[in-house]
Amino acid sequence: MTGDEELLRWLIIAIIALFLFGVAFAATATTLHLLRKRRLEREVTLEARWTDALHDVLAGDSPPEALWALVTPTERRHFVAHLVEYAARVRGEELDLLRALAAPMLVDVAADLPGSAAGRRAFDIRALATLGMPKYTAEVLAALEDRSQLVAATAVQALCQQEYAKHAPAVIASLPRFASWSSRFLGLLLARFGAEAAAPLRRLLADNSASPPLRVAAAHALWRMGDVASVEPAAAILERVDDEGLLVACLRILERVGDERHAGIARRQLRHASGNVRSSAVSALTAIGSPSDDLSFRKALADPSPWVALRAASGLARSNRSSLQMAAVEDDDQARSVAREALSDS
Amino acid sequence: VRELFDAIGGDETIRIVGIVIIVYFVILNSGYLITSVIAFRSLRRYSQRLATLRFDELGAADVPGITLVGPAYNEEATCVEAVQALLTLQYPDYEIIIVNDGSKDRTVERLIGAFDFKAAERVPTAQLATKKVKQTYRSARHPNLWLIDKENGGKADALNTGVNHCRTPLFCAMDADTLLERHALTRIVRPFLERDDTIAVGGIIRIVNGCTVESGIVTDVRMPPNFVAKLQVLEYLRAFLAGRMGWAAINATLIISGAFGLFKREAVVEVGGFAHDTVGEDMELVVRLHRRFREWKRPYRVAFLPDPVAWTECPEKLRVLRRQRERWQRGLTEVLSRHVRMLFNPKHGRIGMVAFPYFFFPEMLGPLVEVAGYLIFILDILVLKAFNPIYAAAFICVAILLGMTLSLAAVGLEELSFRRYHRFRDLVTLFALAIVENFGYRQLTTFWRLEGLLSALRKKRGWGKMERVGFQPRQPAKAA
């Protein structure tokens, strides 16, 4: 076979292959379209049927068996998904009732866990954590160590609830896997444990060997909780540590739960090189400082960082409006603008 | 012509050109194919994450604040409706800054009248160089709505003005006429929560032509009735679901559309904001972010998400589309030429070694090769007779079938992920377009892209005028 013939042969093979690929893609897209449409229609029908029956059970008008009778073995997983969605909207007795309704179906879900793919495993953990606690606590806690980060993250998110606060140490121990997450977001999740988790979070905050982002997450959670006892470890960190994120997080704790005894520590941070730290120090002093800080605030109106200047102006607007009014007239350009903005806002 | 052909090397020259064209063709389509396959896996994983990790449950609690920066230039026809739509977004903490970039029409007057803007002080928090700000206004009715009236300086200048006045950790760069879906911000913020080193995220752009829009919300998604717009629906699906999704999966996103992108404010200020001297300021910023963060050896991530949707109006007339495509190619060329040091530079990792070369050769220089291919083909048929017509026909068949297959794969990805076109008729239309676009439309866009490439080399400036039809309100039901 000559080179030209060889080329032609390959071109013909390519044409046939591409044609078949094209047909296959079109067939796949069509099948997906039709399947999805049918699934959606079926879901709407099923959910309408289940929702009515579910309302009857929740209202005590019919027994759980009446609802279970509507669920065929092939619909069990879908039924659990329906209950998980519904569970996000209810609390207390209604949630307990949903858990009782889900109980017979969760046996299959738990049994499927070991061999299933990560996506399915993650969903199963979510279902077990939402509807199967405390019976499936071991499975959910084991998921914190799952090889898939999606599964572990699902477990963390599901466990971060006030009713599971006793598992806070286990969740905190798993946090290094999530060190790349936003500290504020992690803090927000951890804060959902409530006051019962404050002690292990304080320990994490004070732990010099822990990574700064995780300590920031702990600080943020404690700040959200308004945990008064966290002010001492926060103050100690402000005396010793120089990580910008940690300093800012600790100053926020001082701002929320500190008092005039901690004002000196915050005042020292007014000289920090970072504008973020200085602006947080100004905010803290606005809350816990004394009238003598007004002079620092007035100077801070001309701080090279606009964030510091804006916080100082807002502090002055609360504590010493006349000083702000003077700045709006007398000071240099930046300070004057900042003062004027704060005056018009307040 | 035959003599001239022989004088420049004859059959040997044409053979070399032929090889170049085939190599280009293989690289370009392999790239599309690979990103499509990666996008398929990535979309599946993303859908699983969506089903299990629920960020929306956190509600109003402590999400990072977002400032929407919408530059407006002569937008009096759509600006009020667009701002009204922005005010209906569901996100706990956001501000809107509309930057009037020296409009010559009544954009400012219309906005002031519609939203009761009053002059108000707003101290800048960054010092990116911009044209002079004439006045800042705050809405008396919506405290989170601001208007900055400034001298004309172009879109990048307007965006930089918005960044200068941004008070939140994140800002969203968008076009003033872009319609964001209500949950778009809640969705696009997710990568910033999941990864602290995320500095930019792009959302998907979809075409609003033909859809029903009520109070700034797209209520009924339909294929556009206009044929030119229909073709662009398919192009956008291919570009976003198969292209950007694939590149994002390997952390090599080089483009975040200027119509909808969320950025970490501090990172953008650090690299100097949007560049004034290119029409591709959106891509330029992303490339510069990659470049600087890699040079500083700082961890970072630029992401793309397929479900936060921004709806935008696309051109329905060929002459307007021509200007748009010419501008896009010009922007691409300007950006890649400016950062040419990244090309095959191992210091820039997969950006320098994979993404940048792909955009530089097949995407930027591609039109040159493609048009050369068409010209040689025509010349050969008419005069030279150098190619065996059977080979030429077979090669064209392969090219068309490959283009069609890739488009069908993109339609498949749409069906697999966030299917927005619910009607079966729309799916059939997309199939038909995947075939039809190969006959004329692709060649036309290639030619316009070549014009853009040449314009960039001639250092042409300017945007060209976009003619807007306006959004389609709900029509009263027709009587039977």
Side-chain angles (χ1 to χ4, degrees):
Chain A
M1 195 181 279
T2 65
D4 282 356
E5 283 169 344
E6 183 78 358
L7 175 68
L8 188 61
R9 195 167 73 94
W10 280 110
L11 282 171
I12 290 168
I13 290 171
I15 289 169
I16 295 168
L18 285 169
F19 180 75
L20 292 176
F21 269 126
V23 170
F25 281 137
T28 308
T30 309
T31 311
L32 281 171
H33 186 94
L34 296 175
L35 281 177
R36 204 160 176 179
K37 194 175 170 196
R38 217 177 70 180
R39 203 185 70 204
L40 279 174
E41 284 167 358
R42 190 166 153 261
E43 276 176 11
V44 169
T45 314
L46 280 178
E47 284 174 13
R49 183 151 44 102
W50 289 340
T51 305
D52 289 344
L54 181 61
H55 288 160
D56 288 345
V57 175
L58 291 175
D61 294 341
S62 53
E65 288 76 8
L67 180 55
W68 290 334
L70 298 175
V71 185
T72 65
T74 55
E75 293 163 1
R76 288 182 146 213
R77 184 166 280 277
H78 184 187
F79 180 69
V80 170
H82 182 60
L83 292 182
V84 169
E85 287 299 322
Y86 204 90
R89 303 195 290 269
V90 296
R91 290 280 176 275
E93 278 180 25
E94 286 196 328
L95 185 56
D96 291 340
L97 205 48
L98 284 184
R99 285 173 173 164
L101 280 170
M105 323 281 171
L106 292 181
V107 179
D108 295 344
V109 172
D112 284 352
L113 258 179
S116 58
R120 184 159 169 163
R121 218 157 60 237
F123 179 79
D124 290 350
I125 287 298
R126 185 175 161 78
L128 293 176
T130 311
L131 302 168
M133 298 290 266
K135 187 178 174 189
Y136 296 101
T137 304
E139 283 83 351
V140 178
L141 287 176
L144 292 171
E145 306 294 324
D146 195 283
R147 61 187 181 280
S148 154
Q149 216 205 15
L150 175 64
V151 179
T154 307
V156 167
Q157 197 179 32
L159 283 170
C160 285
Q161 310 285 343
Q162 200 162 1
E163 57 187 314
Y164 309 138
K166 64 179 174 198
H167 302 304
V171 172
I172 290 170
S174 76
L175 286 184
R177 283 187 83 172
F178 306 101
S180 65
W181 282 29
S182 151
S183 303
R184 285 170 73 105
F185 178 62
L186 266 185
L188 182 57
L189 281 179
L190 294 169
R192 297 202 300 187
F193 277 127
E196 210 182 312
L201 286 171
R202 262 182 252 129
R203 281 197 293 278
L204 175 60
L205 174 63
D207 182 359
N208 289 324
S209 64
S211 80
L214 292 183
R215 296 173 77 188
V216 173
H220 192 68
L222 291 163
W223 169 80
R224 286 200 67 80
M225 291 174 189
D227 178 56
V228 177
S230 62
V231 76
E232 294 312 327
I237 287 168
L238 284 163
E239 298 278 31
R240 291 196 310 265
V241 179
D242 198 32
D243 178 86
E244 185 181 319
L246 204 47
L247 291 178
V248 169
C250 290
L251 282 164
R252 288 185 87 195
I253 291 178
L254 258 58
E255 179 187 348
R256 175 133 192 215
V257 292
D259 56 40
E260 64 274 12
R261 285 173 299 157
H262 308 105
I265 297 168
R267 238 169 248 134
R268 279 197 283 284
Q269 300 298 339
L270 285 174
R271 293 190 295 273
H272 198 278
S274 155
N276 282 341
V277 176
R278 290 201 304 280
S279 65
S280 299
V282 169
S283 293
L285 286 172
T286 304
I288 62 173
S290 63
S292 66
D293 290 311
D294 289 351
L295 195 61
S296 307
F297 291 172
R298 177 77 186 265
K299 273 188 200 159
L301 292 177
D303 192 283
S305 160
W307 306 105
V308 179
L310 287 164
R311 297 261 179 106
S314 121
L316 276 177
R318 275 191 259 172
S319 64
N320 193 339
R321 207 173 157 81
S322 61
S323 173
L324 196 60
Q325 281 164 339
M326 277 164 65
V329 180
E330 293 171 0
D331 285 7
D332 66 10
D333 273 357
Q334 180 192 306
R336 206 163 53 223
S337 302
V338 170
R340 278 208 302 260
E341 184 185 323
L343 283 169
S344 64
D345 276 352
S346 59
Chain B
V1 175
R2 181 80 233 186
E3 282 168 12
L4 180 68
F5 172 65
D6 289 338
I8 60 168
D11 291 343
E12 186 56 23
T13 307
I14 214 155
R15 201 178 66 83
I16 292 167
V17 174
I19 289 170
V20 169
I21 290 167
I22 290 172
V23 169
Y24 156 78
F25 175 80
V26 169
I27 293 174
L28 179 76
N29 289 297
S30 304
Y32 286 145
L33 210 58
I34 291 166
T35 53
S36 298
V37 172
I38 297 173
F40 173 77
R41 286 189 61 200
S42 188
L43 274 171
R44 283 197 59 180
R45 279 192 194 164
Y46 183 72
S47 301
Q48 287 175 345
R49 285 188 86 77
L50 271 187
T52 49
L53 279 175
R54 301 292 180 87
F55 291 106
D56 47 345
E57 279 177 8
L58 298 167
D62 211 29
V63 288
I66 294 176
T67 300
L68 300 165
V69 180
Y73 179 69
N74 293 347
E75 303 277 359
E76 68 173 341
T78 54
C79 63
V80 172
E81 192 178 13
V83 173
Q84 271 164 348
L86 293 179
L87 287 165
T88 66
L89 291 177
Q90 291 186 348
Y91 192 76
D93 178 13
Y94 74 102
E95 278 200 317
I96 304 163
I97 299 181
I98 303 298
V99 185
N100 176 54
D101 189 36
S103 295
K104 290 174 184 145
D105 64 358
R106 290 176 43 80
T107 301
V108 171
E109 290 79 0
R110 284 213 62 203
L111 287 170
I112 289 176
F115 300 102
D116 197 10
F117 277 111
K118 309 277 184 214
E121 193 85 39
R122 188 168 172 109
V123 178
T125 51
Q127 302 299 327
L128 300 173
T130 64
K131 294 280 182 183
K132 193 179 168 198
V133 170
K134 291 192 267 189
Q135 182 66 59
T136 52
Y137 301 90
R138 188 178 201 172
S139 167
R141 260 184 273 149
H142 307 280
N144 65 334
L145 176 60
W146 289 78
L147 169 65
I148 299 179
D149 188 17
K150 64 178 278 289
E151 290 173 1
N152 180 260
K155 188 178 174 191
D157 196 74
L159 285 167
N160 283 339
T161 305
V163 174
N164 278 344
H165 289 82
C166 169
R167 297 274 172 91
T168 53
L170 306 176
F171 78 89
C172 177
M174 52 186 295
D175 290 340
D177 63 328
T178 299
L179 294 179
L180 296 186
E181 285 197 345
R182 278 196 167 173
H183 296 284
L185 294 181
T186 319
R187 289 173 184 171
I188 201 170
V189 81
R190 235 180 282 133
F192 290 95
L193 302 178
E194 287 184 65
R195 290 271 301 262
D196 234 358
D197 56 357
T198 304
I199 55 172
V201 179
I204 191 166
I205 312 296
R206 288 178 181 268
I207 285 173
V208 76
N209 306 45
C211 301
T212 306
V213 179
E214 286 178 283
S215 307
I217 297 164
V218 177
T219 52
D220 186 20
V221 179
R222 297 207 168 207
M223 287 291 283
N226 177 281
F227 182 67
V228 176
K230 270 193 181 104
L231 287 165
Q232 291 170 79
V233 169
L234 185 65
E235 274 188 305
Y236 275 49
L237 288 184
R238 208 169 43 227
F240 283 92
L241 289 179
R244 294 193 194 174
M245 193 72 203
W247 287 111
I250 56 166
N251 197 12
T253 298
L254 277 194
I255 304 177
I256 286 179
S257 169
F260 184 32
L262 190 62
F263 297 87
K264 197 172 259 185
R265 178 196 161 281
E266 208 179 328
V268 172
V269 171
E270 233 177 324
V271 301
F274 290 88
H276 292 73
D277 51 354
T278 171
V279 289
E281 78 292 324
D282 44 3
M283 181 184 185
E284 201 283 331
L285 176 66
V286 178
V287 173
R288 190 148 34 91
L289 283 167
H290 278 296
R291 185 174 176 175
R292 295 286 174 248
F293 273 73
R294 283 188 180 267
E295 283 169 358
W296 296 331
K297 294 188 170 46
R298 275 163 52 182
Y300 75 99
R301 182 172 172 239
V302 177
F304 168 79
L305 295 186
D307 64 331
V309 178
W311 295 90
T312 191
E313 200 182 328
C314 74
E316 294 195 340
K317 290 178 182 160
L318 285 177
R319 63 183 165 78
V320 185
L321 182 64
R322 175 186 182 170
R323 285 201 292 262
Q324 184 197 56
R325 294 307 157 91
E326 188 266 348
R327 191 182 71 234
W328 285 1
Q329 189 70 19
R330 190 153 39 98
L332 177 82
T333 310
E334 286 170 356
V335 173
L336 296 179
S337 316
R338 173 178 299 196
H339 296 283
V340 73
R341 281 184 180 197
M342 293 172 78
L343 184 66
F344 293 123
N345 187 339
K347 202 167 77 177
H348 294 102
R350 64 187 67 181
I351 298 296
M353 300 304 286
V354 183
F356 203 96
Y358 183 80
F359 278 85
F360 194 88
F361 293 108
E363 292 286 350
M364 186 183 96
L365 298 177
L368 200 63
V369 181
E370 266 186 64
V371 171
Y374 293 135
L375 291 178
I376 287 176
F377 183 67
I378 293 165
L379 195 66
D380 183 68
I381 288 174
L382 297 179
V383 187
L384 305 174
K385 322 282 188 212
F387 290 141
N388 181 330
I390 295 172
Y391 299 143
F395 185 75
I396 288 170
C397 268
V398 171
I400 288 171
L401 279 169
L402 192 50
M404 191 188 80
T405 305
L406 290 166
S407 295
L408 290 173
V411 177
L413 289 173
E414 165 76 346
E415 287 299 328
L416 181 77
S417 55
F418 305 97
R419 185 172 61 124
R420 293 303 178 112
Y421 298 96
H422 295 279
R423 297 181 312 167
F424 189 71
R425 195 198 309 169
D426 293 335
L427 183 68
V428 175
T429 307
L430 287 169
F431 288 161
L433 291 169
I435 300 166
V436 171
E437 68 166 357
N438 293 290
F439 303 97
Y441 182 70
R442 280 206 163 186
Q443 293 73 17
L444 210 52
T445 49
T446 302
F447 184 72
W448 294 336
R449 285 170 58 211
L450 179 66
E451 284 185 327
L453 176 65
L454 298 175
S455 301
L457 298 176
R458 290 199 307 267
K459 311 274 183 205
K460 185 183 162 186
R461 292 270 172 261
W463 277 67
K465 193 171 182 288
M466 167 71 185
E467 289 171 18
R468 302 204 183 282
V469 178
F471 305 127
Q472 178 75 38
R474 181 171 283 285
Q475 299 295 320
K478 282 184 187 161

